[in-house]
Amino acid sequence: MISANSSSFHESAKAHVTGKALYISDINYAADTLTGIVFSSPHARARIRSYDFSSALALTGLVDILDFKRIPGENSLNPLVHDEPCLAEEDVYCVGQAIFLIVAESEIAARKAAKEIKIEFELLEPIITIDEAIQKDARIAPTRVMQRGNPTEKIKEAPHQLAGQISLGGQEHWYLETHAAYCVPGENGSMSVFASSQNPTEVQFVVAEVLGKQANQVCCEVMRMGGGFGGKETQANHISAWTALLAHTTQRPVKMIFNRDEDQLSTGKRHPFQADYQIGFDDNGLIQSYIVDLNGNAGYATDLSMAILERAMFHAASSYFIPDMKVTATMWRTNLSSNTAFRGFGGPQGMAVIENAIDSVARFLKMDAAEVRYRNFYGIDKQNITHFGQTIENNRLFLLWNQLIKQADYFIRRNQIKDFNSAHEYVKRGLALTPVKFGISFTTSFLNQAGALVNIYKDGTVLLNHGGTEMGQGLHTKMIQIAAAELGIDESKIRVSPTNTSKVPNTSPTAASSGTDLNGMAVRNAILTLKERLADVAVRLLKLNEADKEKITYENGHVYSSLDPNQKIRFNDLVLKAYMNQVSLSSTGFYGTPDLHFDKEKGSGRPFHYFAFGMAVSEVEVDILTGMTRLLRSDILHDAGKSINEKIDLGQVIGGFIQGVGWCTMETLRYDKNGKLLNKSPDTYKIPTACDIPEVLNVSLLRDAPNPTTIRQSKAVGEPPLMLALSVWLAIKDAISSVDNHQNEPYFAMPANQELILRAVKSLEKR
């Protein structure tokens, strides 16, 4: 059951279902377009001793092969840290790292050439795991610390203490459209880049840097992506730079499109984490102190790892007020592909640790874990300050709890599950409730800005240009709705152009769930400027006084004064009259989120504009002989503020939740001892399918919970729902725990796949 009222359809819905939506691979390429591929490292750590292209260069159809010496600009893909080379020089640092670029008349010719390249390596010892990196002190950057109070002493004083360690696996993005780029060289050294990227401005600057050009010589355009999930925030830079290098060298258009195996092998994943924690609490389950040490596997280069680590620290308390708390966190360098942004951006890892710890507290006290969570929620007027010093405003946790506990029949089902487990020896059921409190804003404060360009044509139609990118999440649809509401015209009169760095410069990535918040405000700002200009014309046409400008209303394709709604003019007529009077019908818009700050040295500040909330109850059935899990039912209530588009927001809640279920229960990255990803294709890497959706799924948005100071009082909804899947993860733990009637803490980790479940059951049977 999905609760929703009527709202606009996704602006590309018909194009999606009819196959007419254009992606990089659908572009009508120029007749002389070449194909590029990457020759990548087969080793996780090695030194390149020698290489020879002569046999490959002799093949028919081959055009050129580039090594790092042929790069005209900087050999770097990271514009800030510069620790990720565009092409390997002397050493390689992971399987899949780019060494050479091959360009040919066809893909077949390029792949034949790759087989003819002769290269000799000296193998070196790789670092694969976090434990190995710790042993060799291979830090990406110094350890970070956030602390409130005196947690070490408070833990000693607490009536009860528990300690534990947990490992959390990574996750492949598995967007439907793999990484792709198409580059066309132009006159005067210019380059047009058509990218599948969440971050067109960074693509523009990385390509310019690699080619040794100015930013104004490179234009990046993004029509749409077939999914991103964070995987195309920085790592679309790579394929764009490689393709641009080949286009620059050959002075012909070049396309490069990864196949699925190449994409999974060479791109970064969600960061695997492991954590050690101590928690002190009283007889009622109130947490008095919490100390956690977070360790992340960054892969071989920095990428966004430190920002991801910081968000994990921000979310280490999840939805709970903990008076004394310390978080230490380190990112470790290993010889894997550089891990990168993924929906939740470190937040899920930080939250998973405390949620598992609370589950352990409840088991120790023989209490219901949901009750322990409730007792530790942040308060409304007190105990509502985070461990990093930000006050939580408009706390929705208790409102969500009161509604969801009833809707999900939580306590009734808890008793039913107890009876079921008593009657079944080999099949057990589990139930868990978990909350979400997720901060919304880029934690790198300057990224919280957006621009827009709005053009009104003299026939009354509107073209929107904004800095956000469309990856299926409905951002363009919401921009159309915002513009239509501001101008009072039908949505059919408005179109969004592809995101283009020549129209809206210096864009921030479409990430951090901030696409609508930032770009919606920028679009509104541009339209307010246009309405100011139109108001001068409307005053004359409606025979109003100058003082009545503020009374002008735009609605249902007409413009009128609220003083006399019966006297109105058509929007189209107003626009044409403005044009005839030489009034500009084009305006830029801008928005920067106010009052964001954070002192990294002190570990305190206000890094988030607001918090999004959600809550889920999930029930599972586990076969303890096979480890197979059935997701029987999930009830979700999510806070989207005053939703701009309920259908799209509900789709995001469901999609995020199911993607989280994949991370929590099945998606397992398996590497051999030499750092080679063993399951790099869809036949060996398992993601959720229709069979993994809950048999009963009840999803609704919280009503009457507007969000002040944001565009149309809405809330971000892209990332927060993913963490609702922790309810499934802990429901599995609850089912496992019932094997010995919840007397002992089972071995547990993430993902809770069949192997983990069988090991956990075995850990209880040995006691």
Side-chain angles (χ1 to χ4, degrees):
M1 179 179 71
I2 299 172
S3 301
N5 58 18
S6 60
S7 53
S8 302
F9 288 103
H10 193 291
E11 51 89 28
S12 294
K14 290 182 180 178
H16 286 157
V17 299
T18 59
K20 294 181 179 179
L22 297 179
Y23 298 88
I24 299 296
S25 60
D26 302 311
I27 291 175
N28 188 15
Y29 302 117
D32 61 342
T33 295
L34 300 171
T35 297
I37 67 168
V38 177
F39 182 97
S40 62
S41 171
H43 305 296
R45 185 75 179 92
R47 185 153 292 140
I48 300 170
R49 286 302 185 190
S50 65
Y51 53 87
D52 181 6
F53 299 157
S54 56
S55 296
L57 290 171
L59 294 177
T60 302
L62 183 74
V63 176
D64 208 346
I65 301 175
L66 306 188
D67 61 10
F68 75 94
K69 299 171 187 174
R70 305 276 300 279
I71 297 174
E74 295 290 325
N75 184 17
S76 175
L77 295 172
N78 187 316
L80 298 176
V81 184
H82 290 91
D83 66 346
E84 189 168 6
C86 179
L87 294 176
E89 297 188 14
E90 183 178 346
D91 288 0
V92 291
Y93 298 99
C94 74
V95 174
Q97 183 182 347
I99 303 177
F100 310 125
L101 301 176
I102 303 171
V103 63
E105 297 289 348
S106 68
E107 182 178 350
I108 292 174
R111 296 200 181 278
K112 283 183 178 179
K115 294 178 180 179
E116 293 296 320
I117 291 176
K118 297 177 177 62
I119 185 167
E120 181 183 350
F121 296 96
E122 175 191 347
L123 299 186
L124 304 173
E125 183 180 1
I127 299 172
I128 305 303
T129 67
I130 292 172
D131 285 335
E132 292 169 353
I134 292 172
Q135 289 171 9
K136 297 185 179 181
D137 196 28
R139 301 166 194 260
I140 282 279
T143 295
R144 294 282 307 277
V145 180
M146 288 182 193
Q147 181 170 331
R148 172 166 63 186
N150 191 343
T152 303
E153 289 302 315
K154 292 296 183 181
I155 276 189
K156 295 176 183 176
E157 297 170 5
H160 308 288
Q161 304 89 23
L162 289 174
Q165 183 180 76
I166 192 161
S167 64
L168 310 170
Q171 185 180 20
E172 165 62 38
H173 298 85
W174 233 98
Y175 25 66
L176 287 178
E177 180 196 26
T178 57
H179 278 284
Y182 178 54
C183 293
V184 182
E187 64 180 8
N188 299 320
S190 65
M191 182 67 67
S192 295
V193 181
F194 299 88
S196 181
S197 170
Q198 296 173 235
N199 199 349
T201 288
E202 190 162 292
V203 166
Q204 175 193 18
F205 275 77
V206 168
V207 167
E209 191 173 73
V210 167
L211 296 182
K213 297 181 181 296
Q214 298 177 152
N216 64 1
Q217 293 176 281
V218 178
C219 176
C220 179
E221 179 170 299
V222 178
M223 177 69 176
R224 61 169 60 84
M225 287 162 277
F229 311 119
K232 297 176 181 177
E233 183 175 346
T234 59
Q235 300 208 348
N237 302 342
H238 304 36
I239 195 167
S240 298
W242 297 328
T243 309
L245 275 168
L246 294 174
H248 171 79
T249 300
T250 62
Q251 284 300 296
R252 288 172 61 179
V254 177
K255 63 177 178 178
M256 186 182 292
I257 302 169
F258 280 173
N259 62 39
R260 182 64 62 183
D261 285 21
E262 289 171 327
D263 196 291
Q264 287 193 236
L265 180 71
S266 63
T267 60
K269 323 298 181 191
R270 184 188 296 282
H271 289 69
F273 267 57
Q274 65 185 41
D276 295 277
Y277 65 87
Q278 302 172 60
I279 191 165
F281 52 97
D282 67 15
D283 292 338
N284 296 314
L286 283 174
I287 302 170
Q288 298 181 352
S289 183
Y290 179 56
I291 300 173
V292 61
D293 183 25
L294 301 171
N295 295 279
N297 188 330
Y300 87 93
T302 302
D303 198 270
L304 295 169
S305 291
M306 294 311 295
I308 288 164
L309 187 71
E310 186 174 65
R311 187 171 279 266
M313 298 175 77
F314 285 137
H315 290 81
S318 190
S319 299
Y320 312 109
F321 177 78
I322 303 174
D324 291 81
M325 178 172 170
K326 181 179 181 180
V327 188
T328 57
T330 313
M331 273 292 177
W332 299 94
R333 194 185 301 274
T334 64
N335 294 115
L336 300 179
S337 298
S338 182
N339 289 317
T340 192
F342 201 129
R343 199 176 198 165
F345 204 78
Q349 292 96 316
M351 292 167 65
V353 180
I354 184 65
E355 295 294 354
N356 181 67
I358 287 180
D359 189 78
S360 301
V361 168
R363 187 167 292 101
F364 178 89
L365 294 173
K366 311 304 180 191
M367 293 176 60
D368 188 298
E371 288 278 11
V372 176
R373 290 187 166 86
Y374 177 84
R375 294 180 184 189
N376 285 284
F377 282 163
Y378 283 104
I380 302 297
D381 298 316
K382 58 182 180 179
Q383 297 186 333
N384 63 339
I385 299 176
T386 67
H387 61 287
F388 50 89
Q390 179 164 354
T391 300
I392 296 175
E393 301 166 335
N394 303 307
N395 183 354
R396 309 295 190 199
L397 290 168
F398 296 100
L399 188 59
L400 290 163
W401 167 277
N402 292 335
Q403 292 186 30
L404 189 62
I405 284 288
K406 293 177 183 177
Q407 291 175 15
D409 296 321
Y410 179 84
F411 291 109
I412 294 172
R413 289 165 61 203
R414 171 59 72 195
N415 290 327
Q416 291 173 343
I417 287 171
K418 184 178 180 180
D419 293 340
F420 178 91
N421 288 340
S422 296
H424 294 79
E425 184 177 1
Y426 299 116
V427 178
K428 302 294 183 180
R429 290 185 177 176
L431 185 71
L433 175 150
T434 58
V436 168
K437 173 195 67 69
F438 192 79
I440 303 299
S441 289
F442 287 99
T443 54
T444 302
S445 297
F446 70 81
L447 292 176
N448 293 287
Q449 59 176 293
L453 170 64
V454 177
N455 300 327
I456 303 177
Y457 296 99
K458 60 183 180 179
D459 66 349
T461 60
V462 178
L463 181 67
L464 301 181
N465 306 271
H466 64 88
T469 56
E470 176 63 49
M471 60 194 96
Q473 85 279 35
L475 178 60
H476 286 352
T477 306
K478 289 185 176 182
M479 296 304 101
I480 289 171
Q481 288 183 264
I482 290 165
E486 290 292 333
L487 293 171
I489 61 177
D490 192 82
E491 293 171 18
S492 64
K493 301 293 185 182
I494 303 171
R495 190 174 76 84
V496 179
S497 72
T499 311
N500 188 296
T501 56
S502 68
K503 294 180 179 179
V504 180
N506 306 318
T507 59
S508 293
T510 305
S513 302
S514 63
T516 299
D517 286 1
L518 298 177
N519 294 287
M521 281 292 203
V523 166
R524 181 176 182 270
N525 179 252
I527 290 174
L528 289 178
T529 299
L530 291 167
K531 288 166 74 173
E532 278 288 320
R533 296 173 190 165
L534 290 171
D536 293 328
V537 181
V539 163
R540 295 196 298 272
L541 293 177
L542 293 170
K543 298 181 174 58
L544 301 174
N545 297 318
E546 284 292 319
D548 295 332
K549 273 187 181 181
E550 294 183 1
K551 303 291 194 301
I552 293 175
T553 302
Y554 293 74
E555 188 176 67
N556 295 326
H558 289 81
V559 182
Y560 61 89
S561 168
S562 59
L563 299 173
D564 185 5
N566 293 320
Q567 184 182 356
K568 59 182 69 175
I569 55 175
R570 293 196 317 152
F571 177 79
N572 293 20
D573 295 337
L574 173 62
V575 168
L576 183 59
K577 196 69 174 178
Y579 168 75
M580 299 298 291
N581 282 272
Q582 299 177 314
V583 174
S584 171
L585 296 173
S586 177
S587 177
T588 60
F590 181 80
Y591 175 74
T593 309
D595 194 27
L596 297 179
H597 55 89
F598 185 74
D599 188 320
K600 291 188 177 183
E601 293 299 319
K602 295 179 180 178
S604 65
R606 187 178 185 271
F608 302 116
H609 190 41
Y610 62 88
F611 293 92
F613 299 92
M615 204 167 289
V617 172
S618 291
E619 181 180 351
V620 301
E621 185 175 278
V622 177
D623 185 325
I624 66 169
L625 297 179
T626 66
M628 287 290 290
T629 299
R630 287 172 58 211
L631 182 45
L632 301 178
R633 174 177 169 180
S634 289
D635 294 83
I636 295 171
L637 183 58
H638 193 75
D639 167 30
K642 188 175 181 180
S643 175
I644 293 174
N645 189 309
E646 291 200 3
K647 290 176 182 176
I648 285 176
D649 286 349
L650 284 164
Q652 287 293 293
V653 172
I654 295 168
F657 172 71
I658 295 300
Q659 190 170 51
V661 169
W663 176 54
C664 289
T665 68
M666 68 185 70
E667 296 190 44
T668 308
L669 296 165
R670 300 189 184 278
Y671 297 89
D672 66 17
K673 64 180 181 179
N674 298 313
K676 182 178 181 181
L677 181 63
L678 299 175
N679 53 338
K680 60 179 174 60
S681 59
D683 56 343
T684 52
Y685 183 82
K686 184 179 180 183
I687 63 172
T689 67
C691 298
D692 301 299
I693 295 172
E695 295 176 16
V696 177
L697 179 59
N698 300 316
V699 186
S700 56
L701 301 179
L702 185 65
R703 299 292 178 193
D704 303 319
N707 188 32
T709 75
T710 56
I711 186 70
R712 305 195 72 80
Q713 300 182 316
S714 64
K715 275 192 177 182
V717 75
E719 291 172 288
L722 185 134
M723 283 73 79
L724 296 168
L726 294 174
S727 62
V728 179
W729 183 54
L730 292 173
I732 292 172
K733 187 181 181 186
D734 184 54
I736 295 168
S737 178
S738 70
V739 169
D740 74 345
N741 199 28
H742 307 288
Q743 295 303 303
N744 293 287
E745 179 73 6
Y747 165 78
F748 206 56
M750 186 183 293
N753 56 23
Q754 288 176 260
E755 178 184 348
L756 180 282
I757 290 168
L758 294 175
R759 291 176 66 189
V761 170
K762 186 70 69 176
S763 74
L764 294 176
E765 291 176 344
K766 288 180 179 179
R767 296 183 182 182

